[in-house]
């Protein structure tokens, strides 16, 4: 079976941003996303998920390289300063190129 | 000391000692949902008994109170605290609004002191949650066109807190005392037990906020104690003007003195993102919440007794 | 209107207004588990009081009823609805089976109307869950050798719903009314409060299903209302034949009218995967559940009163 | 048979049949937290009634009992079971310590047998949790300098179990019988219902441990039954020496016979990581817990009756 | 320390499929798997985890390239049509080659 | 926007190890971590998260190659023998090189 290269953009950020972030992803042209609940630590200190204000989410978007780059750049410019957030992009192979 | 307060102390202690004790997020949510609904229901039952029109003066008064407290807090934070505009606006919004947990503790306190109060207080609680949020946003950004007021309104009125309180109020009001009877075992009889679990968790959360406090120093501690004392005086005066009973006066003073940590943080995070949430939570949760719960409420009680006596 | 219904309305409203209100999955599970055990226990206590043999006619009747309703629904869905074979079979299975939530609302309704009913109804509830699932699978795939009946049986009988209902029944039956007494504060006294939380969540879920509905149009709405009305008539006739009381008749009509959304969706997803779950859930949860809860049960009550009067 | 036991049987059965039934982790935690607090509170209320000094002999006795049982178990496990040093030490710690779940079942059992007991037992429960852990660590590693006793103490005394039990004790003691009254609907009235849910989950967990058992054979089964019987005899003798009542004797025998599965596994995992947790959990949860709950407690009751009669 | 190349196959699908999927993974020759609860959106609409029927799981399998390819292809053929499911494969380094 | 190569170290292990593991990460020089709750199966059998003793966590650390290698090697040497644990490292791109 053939496989095709796509990008996996992973975003870890504050749970409070979920609705906003999903709107941004929908607008970016990506076809879907996956969210899991998370906790962690970074420049904004420990976020231990004990209550909504300190919970994180981990969002994954599989999409083409261009969408990944532009979505990442947009999120970076718009949210990095004010929110606890990290972004990273990995290379992945998918089986159905039209799906992503 | 009311035993529910001891659960709060247990939580703080466990948190400060870095115990492994942690309540799962789902338990926190469960406990919060039951408390919010219970408070709403209780208020709603009472509303069913009296004409809403008669409460109009009180309703207007607490809305104004919410606006005023936020507007007073802002310059203090800006000038004395030298905080950035957004931070001062956000903290002002927290202190103009109210804390449901503190309200619940005051109710429990009055219960064990056998002081009765106007049972429609949850209505005032709901009304007082919102105005300060609007003040906070305007203070932070001005009345600029770019503020997406649609999404602000959505955020404010459709947040978990307001929906459950208001929903409970309406259900209690529609069903009346008789109708709510079969719901009482969960929402009334368990109230104090659930509140105990809630305060245990709040203790753990409060302990975590103290880190934030250590970083941002003395001003926040001072503000977190002085502001509620001042607000309680304003609240007591308002209650006097409205002719509330002793219990009602204590509750209104407590509402004024309390600082939000459910509705406001969520709204500020979206609408004033440049405000640092560590500051406002350190003050509201790390200082004011324990102050009110452990020391403030008895003070407000004494104050009301003195004023009304 | 019973206040528990108002919680359902609150949930739907919050969902449609896209409120931030959401119950954690763990709370949904907790509430479901308590409801299922409570219903089972209640039925089991009753079974302890009477010889099982005497109930045999009723037990056989509801199993047949489950088969028949699914078999009637299928051609309607296929011909009138022009649905694909798998979809028609799956939806037929949902409507031949029963909804525990609807049953609980009917029990609460009869309670507040002070109408008593045969307390062994939970036994019939359990028995009626299964037959339609088998019909659905056979309708979808024929009695082909390739169907893994082992795993179907596993899926059906060892799903959460049946295990807890049946477990509760057996425990209630073994322990008897005396033995269950110390469990009553949780499983009986809190029943309505827990049911209220469950219906709040069901309202949120129902609101989400309405999207599915918008996409698949009018036929499902019509079917989702007409089918329960028809099933209720069949259920009422069966109850008449079995000589049930007024309350028992309302319950059996409601069981017949209700559409499953716990056991059947799970079983269909594994055994008839080509059926689109959006369709069946939109009909069962988006239309029939609210219809039964808000309008249907009082209608079935009126119908039973008229028939038995 | 007490109906709460039937919930345990339901859980085991569902687990062995590989049912889809699973309680979310958050529900397990919720139920555990309520049980631990309830047991602590109950003991604390009692402590408020009597001078602590009077209980000193009992307190010392159970601490010694915890040490002794672990020290007896170790050579048996090492010689007869030919287990590795770390494994033998870890299992010895489990059996020298106590199981809160087993204690709760014993309380429920005595309640339905209408046998009263010294209500300060939760104090002994707390005291008996710890000593065996220390024995276990020393047996595994010697009193080497490299053991980080600081983190051991932290792990042991600040684990969830001890914090909640001890916290409950202190709150109950500070608040007294009157003060705790408003908390009773949650912590006392619901106790048996919550215990039922806990045992349901424990049944599911026990069933999962049985796999571990199958792999590690007969010795663990034999030890898992013989050790509690032996410990119960020692516990009964200690109770006799201390002049406890019939109920108190049953409880102390049960405490001695029970094997920890909350505090000890967590502590061993960190402090004696080379011990295989599958072995200790298979014995403590797969054999001893069900043995005590289903058969042991009535045996210890009979033994106490015989000895004291 | 040496490191060895393996594949990480990630599957996001309906929670209802967990038991079945685990059986498939066991059969595939992979030595293990990791599951987390998730929600998301894709061609089958929003799955918000509010209740079991709308919950997702996110399953990861570290294995050799061949197993990853054949397992992915098998899952694709068998489940893609009827279930909400995505698959993607990334390259990873592991420390112990015999474990995976 | 420029992007920079970093490593993503993923650790799946027993929940009981969370506090210890976080201490190790803090010491390693990494700037943060993300934790999600998980369940799974491996050489140490099925860990189904039904209760704390059988729960897993999935920890991610974005850091430079050197930190990833040394942290992985250290965890491997120290914990692999006694704990249920796997480690794997992937290549990722990040937008802000100083953050990681
Ligand atoms: N180096 C890192 N590796 C993995 N996750 C990180 C890292 N730094 C930050 N995070 C996650 O991203 C969230 C926000 O990061 P920050 O904005 O740096 O506080 C943290 O709470 C962590 O969950
Ligand atoms: N492009 C994507 N990126 C990340 N996750 C996705 C993507 N598309 C789908 N998913 C996830 O996979 C699940 C099933 O996808 P689908 O079959 O497309 O509905 C969704 O509910 C999402 O959790
Ligand atoms: N091949 C694998 N792929 C993905 N996750 C794995 C794999 N092997 C083990 N795991 C995870 O790592 C945990 C510990 O692994 P182990 O030490 O092999 O028992 C397991 O419970 C799984 O969650
Ligand atoms: Na205020
Ligand atoms: Na039906
Ligand atoms: Na013991």
């Amino acid at each position: 079976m053939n496989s095709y290269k796509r990008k996996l953009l992973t975003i870890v950020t504050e749970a409070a941003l979920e609705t906003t972030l999903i709107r941004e992803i929908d607008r970016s042209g990506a076809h879907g996303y996956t969210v899991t609940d998370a906790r962690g630590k970074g420049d904004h200190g420990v976020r231990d998920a004990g209550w909504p204000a300190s919970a994180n989410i981990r969002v994954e978007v599989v999409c083409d390289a261009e969408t990944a780059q532009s979505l990442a750049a947009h999120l970076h410019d718009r949210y990095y300063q004010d929110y606890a957030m990290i972004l990273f992009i990995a290379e992945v192979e998918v089986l159905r190129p039209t799906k992503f | 000391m009311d035993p529910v307060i001891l659960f709060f102390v247990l939580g703080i202690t466990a948190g400060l000692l870095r115990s492994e004790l942690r309540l799962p997020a789902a338990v926190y949510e469960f406990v919060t949902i039951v408390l919010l609904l219970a408070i709403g229901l209780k208020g709603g039952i009472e509303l069913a008994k009296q004409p809403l029109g008669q409460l109009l003066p009180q309703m207007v008064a607490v809305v104004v109170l919410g606006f005023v407290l936020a507007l007073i807090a802002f310059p203090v934070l800006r000038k004395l605290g030298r905080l950035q505009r957004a931070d001062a606006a956000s903290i002002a919004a927290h202190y103009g609004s109210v804390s449901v947990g503190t309200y619940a503790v005051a109710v429990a306190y009055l219960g064990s002191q056998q002081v009765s109060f106007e049972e429609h207080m949850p209505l005032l609680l709901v009304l007082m949650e919102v105005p300060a949020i609007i003040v906070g946003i305007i203070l932070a950004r001005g009345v600029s066109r770019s503020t997406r007021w649609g999404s602000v309104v959505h955020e404010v009125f459709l947040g978990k807190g307001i929906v459950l309180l208001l929903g409970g109020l309406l259900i209690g009001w529609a069903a009346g005392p008789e109708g709510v009877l079969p719901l009482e075992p969960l929402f009334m009889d368990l109230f104090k037990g659930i509140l105990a679990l809630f305060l245990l968790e709040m203790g753990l959360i409060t302990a975590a906020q103290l880190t934030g406090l250590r970083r941002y120093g003395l001003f926040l501690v001072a503000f977190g104690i002085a502001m509620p004392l001042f607000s309680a005086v304003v609240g007591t005066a308002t209650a006097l003007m409205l002719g509330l009973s002793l219990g009602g006066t204590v509750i209104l003073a407590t509402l004024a003195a309390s600082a939000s940590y459910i509705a406001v943080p969520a709204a500020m995070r979206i609408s004033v993102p440049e405000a640092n949430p560590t500051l406002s939570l350190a003050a509201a949760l790390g200082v004011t919440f324990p102050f009110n719960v452990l020391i403030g409420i008895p003070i407000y009680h004494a104050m009301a007794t003195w004023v009304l006596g």
Side-chain angles (χ1 to χ4, degrees), chain A, chain B:
Chain A
M1 195 172 240
N2 280 336
S3 66
Y4 305 83
K5 295 222 176 305
R6 289 291 179 278
K7 295 289 182 183
L8 169 66
L9 167 63
T10 304
I11 305 142
V12 182
T13 190
E14 307 179 16
L17 214 58
E18 180 162 345
T19 312
T20 313
L21 192 61
I22 282 173
R23 214 179 305 127
E24 298 278 12
I25 294 170
D26 280 344
R27 276 196 211 128
S28 75
H31 297 190
Y33 57 83
T34 296
V35 184
T36 47
D37 293 316
R39 53 192 177 277
K41 187 179 137 183
D43 296 345
H44 292 79
V46 174
R47 303 184 49 78
D48 69 356
W51 63 311
S54 82
N56 279 348
I57 49 172
R58 182 182 180 282
V59 182
E60 290 175 308
V61 183
V62 180
C63 54
D64 57 41
E66 207 178 320
T67 309
Q69 281 299 339
S70 70
L71 180 55
H74 173 69
L75 294 177
H76 181 276
D77 295 348
R78 182 77 184 270
Y79 299 102
Y80 245 58
Q81 177 153 349
D82 294 335
Y83 292 94
M85 180 184 277
I86 66 163
L87 293 162
F88 51 87
I89 298 176
E91 181 116 316
V92 294
E93 287 168 55
V94 300
L95 299 182
R96 295 204 313 188
T98 54
K99 193 170 165 73
F100 302 101
Chain B
M1 196 177 271
D2 198 299
V4 293
I5 305 298
L6 296 173
F7 280 84
F8 181 64
V9 175
L10 174 58
I12 291 198
T13 313
L16 291 179
L17 293 174
R18 303 185 165 280
S19 148
E20 298 287 324
L21 180 60
R22 220 162 292 157
L23 270 74
V27 173
Y28 174 84
E29 300 255 346
F30 176 67
V31 159
T32 311
I33 289 167
V34 174
L35 283 188
L36 289 166
L37 284 172
I39 291 172
L41 281 172
K42 230 172 181 169
I45 296 173
E46 211 53 29
L47 289 187
K49 293 194 202 148
Q50 52 192 295
L52 205 65
Q54 210 172 291
L55 300 177
L56 212 66
Q58 297 184 24
M59 294 164 66
V60 173
V62 298
V63 169
V64 173
L65 187 58
F67 278 116
V68 167
L69 291 176
L71 286 170
I72 293 174
F74 181 68
V76 174
L77 290 156
R78 200 90 170 85
K79 298 276 154 59
L80 261 72
R82 289 157 196 257
L83 290 170
Q84 306 225 317
R85 186 181 189 83
D87 287 324
S90 164
I91 299 179
H94 283 72
Y95 280 82
S97 184
V98 291
S99 145
V100 177
T102 314
Y103 171 83
V105 173
V107 168
Y109 170 85
L110 291 181
S112 59
Q113 301 280 325
Q114 293 176 300
V115 176
S116 67
F117 59 92
E118 288 80 357
E119 291 279 359
H120 62 263
M121 282 295 159
L123 176 65
L124 306 189
L125 171 68
V126 173
L127 289 171
M128 232 179 131
E129 281 216 64
V130 175
I133 299 179
I134 296 160
V135 174
I137 296 174
I138 294 179
L139 287 173
R141 6 194 83 189
V143 201
S144 90
R145 295 255 167 105
S146 79
T147 308
R148 294 207 233 102
W149 286 104
S151 79
V152 168
V153 166
H154 187 273
E155 189 64 36
V156 169
F157 287 97
L158 292 170
K160 189 178 63 180
I162 304 267
V163 166
L164 289 173
L165 274 176
L166 208 61
L169 263 176
L170 291 173
I171 292 175
W173 179 71
E178 296 292 294
V180 170
L181 226 60
L183 301 175
E184 299 212 334
L186 176 57
F187 292 108
M188 307 297 147
D189 301 352
L190 294 193
F191 186 78
K192 271 212 156 177
I194 297 278
L195 180 60
L197 293 180
F198 175 76
L199 288 173
L200 178 62
E201 172 73 30
M202 288 310 298
L204 294 168
I205 294 174
T206 296
Q209 303 310 319
L210 294 180
T211 333
L213 207 57
R214 240 177 289 150
R215 266 197 259 159
Y216 295 97
L218 268 177
F219 172 73
L220 284 184
V221 177
F223 180 82
I225 292 173
M227 183 72 201
L229 284 172
F230 169 78
S231 301
V233 172
V234 181
T236 304
T238 312
L240 210 61
M241 240 176 51
L242 293 168
L244 294 187
S245 72
L246 173 64
T249 305
V250 177
I251 295 274
L252 193 57
T254 305
L255 284 178
S258 72
S260 167
Y261 51 81
I262 297 182
V264 181
M268 288 298 123
R269 209 70 204 94
I270 296 301
S271 304
V272 188
E274 63 276 29
N276 182 348
T278 318
L279 291 177
S280 41
L281 289 176
L285 264 182
V287 183
T288 302
F289 183 75
F291 172 75
N292 277 329
V293 157
L294 298 174
I295 312 173
I297 295 173
I299 296 182
Y300 314 148
H301 184 196
M303 181 157 70
T305 314
W306 182 73
V307 168
L308 290 173

